[in-house]
Amino acid sequence: MTSESVLHPSLIVPVGHVEPVPRRIRGLIGGQVVFDSRRALYVWEWRAYPQFSIPLADLVDGTLVDDEHIEHHGAGPARRHTLQVGSEVRVGAAWVWDEDAPKSLQGTVRFEWDALDAWFEEDEPVFVHPRSPYSRVDTLRSSSSVRVEVDGVLLADAPNCVKLFETGLPTRYYIERMYVDWTRLRHSDTVTHCPYKGTTSDYWSFDGDTGPHEDIAWAYDFPTIHANRIAGLVAFYNEHVDLYIDGVLLPRPGDPAGGTAPK
């Protein structure tokens, strides 16, 4: 067991796991509904999160054209297909599970996420990938102090924080902006998306003596309702900074040695 696994719960769902989706799932291209399903399945092709697999009978518009190419996708073999919706052609957009795949997946198709223009769970849009039914995102106010250093330079020093706990990831520590030394940070144009937290509003980098440290801090000004306590707060990547919580230096995730020595 590494230091990283001690600091947060690990993912528990095995590759190849299949479960029913109790939500209405729809996918759109160019405003047209490609599929509309109340019988979708979650399928874990890798452990981090599932994909949606849609019954072929629930396709509303569009045609799947077999590309005559088979690959193994965690749960079993699948045949790649090109999707045609009106004048739109999305090459390699879909994977129809082959006859040697688990029986529950046969007769269903898994679409590449970016091949569709929009995804909906019920009437709410979903971004990046499906939300795992086994993952939690909790935000809790905390009196823990947070100090952030890079190359020995103090970037932030906060007396309290909001802790964000996300299954399978290190705890993130969000702090008020007034406790950040903005003279040390450089704004970045980077934008990332999270199905649990929403879309970032800002990223910042630090130019230190050892070179640039890109995108080490970020903020969600308008997070999802599930993470509304972090709105407007700033977090730093545990993996790329020296992060002291209540005066104790945390080991960097993935570093069993625990990072640099405490000061």
Side-chain angles (χ1 to χ4, degrees):
M1 182 176 289
T2 66
S3 297
E4 182 181 2
S5 64
V6 170
L7 292 176
H8 63 270
S10 61
L11 299 166
I12 63 172
V13 185
V15 172
H17 190 63
V18 178
E19 290 282 6
V21 177
R23 313 173 186 201
R24 182 186 184 188
I25 306 298
R26 285 174 289 174
L28 281 69
I29 289 180
Q32 292 180 263
V33 177
V34 178
F35 57 82
D36 185 346
S37 181
R38 300 175 189 271
R39 304 178 297 163
L41 298 171
Y42 291 117
V43 54
W44 277 261
E45 297 181 16
W46 44 83
R47 293 187 66 202
Y49 53 85
Q51 297 287 342
F52 292 130
S53 201
I54 308 297
L56 290 166
D58 290 344
L59 268 63
V60 175
D61 206 348
T63 302
L64 292 173
V65 179
D66 195 339
D67 292 341
E68 301 295 333
H69 176 77
I70 297 179
E71 288 185 11
H72 194 280
H73 281 257
R79 301 181 67 87
R80 190 180 66 200
H81 285 65
T82 290
L83 174 63
Q84 297 178 355
V85 181
S87 61
E88 294 281 350
V89 177
R90 305 289 168 94
V91 177
W95 295 88
V96 176
W97 296 99
D98 201 47
E99 59 184 12
D100 292 328
K103 185 176 181 180
S104 60
L105 291 175
Q106 293 177 22
T108 70
V109 53
R110 195 274 283 168
F111 290 93
E112 295 289 348
W113 193 267
D114 292 339
L116 276 69
D117 296 339
W119 292 77
F120 288 85
E121 290 184 352
E122 297 297 338
D123 293 334
E124 294 192 5
V126 187
F127 303 100
V128 187
H129 60 74
R131 291 183 281 251
S132 172
Y134 300 119
S135 292
R136 289 181 60 114
V137 175
D138 297 305
T139 54
L140 300 175
R141 293 186 299 272
S142 174
S143 59
S144 290
S145 64
V146 178
R147 188 166 89 251
V148 180
E149 297 181 7
V150 176
D151 293 346
V153 177
L154 181 65
L155 299 183
D157 194 0
N160 48 50
C161 63
V162 171
K163 295 181 181 180
L164 186 143
F165 304 94
E166 184 172 346
T167 305
L169 290 176
T171 303
R172 302 301 186 190
Y173 303 86
Y174 284 79
I175 62 176
E176 296 283 355
R177 296 189 183 214
M178 69 180 71
Y179 301 119
V180 177
D181 185 352
W182 296 107
T183 66
R184 300 284 190 175
L185 297 178
R186 165 173 50 86
H187 191 266
S188 165
D189 292 331
T190 299
V191 176
T192 59
H193 309 277
C194 172
Y196 303 100
K197 300 184 290 291
T199 299
T200 55
S201 49
D202 297 283
Y203 264 89
W204 296 273
S205 302
F206 169 67
D207 297 316
D209 291 339
T210 62
H213 300 266
E214 300 293 341
D215 296 335
I216 62 171
W218 69 90
Y220 290 91
D221 284 350
F222 305 100
T224 65
I225 191 171
H226 315 288
N228 58 0
R229 282 180 174 166
I230 66 171
L233 306 184
V234 177
F236 287 80
Y237 265 118
N238 312 34
E239 295 86 341
H240 304 304
V241 303
D242 291 328
L243 184 62
Y244 295 82
I245 304 300
D246 292 327
V248 177
L249 177 62
L250 296 188
R252 292 191 181 185
D255 180 5
T260 57
K263 298 180 180 178

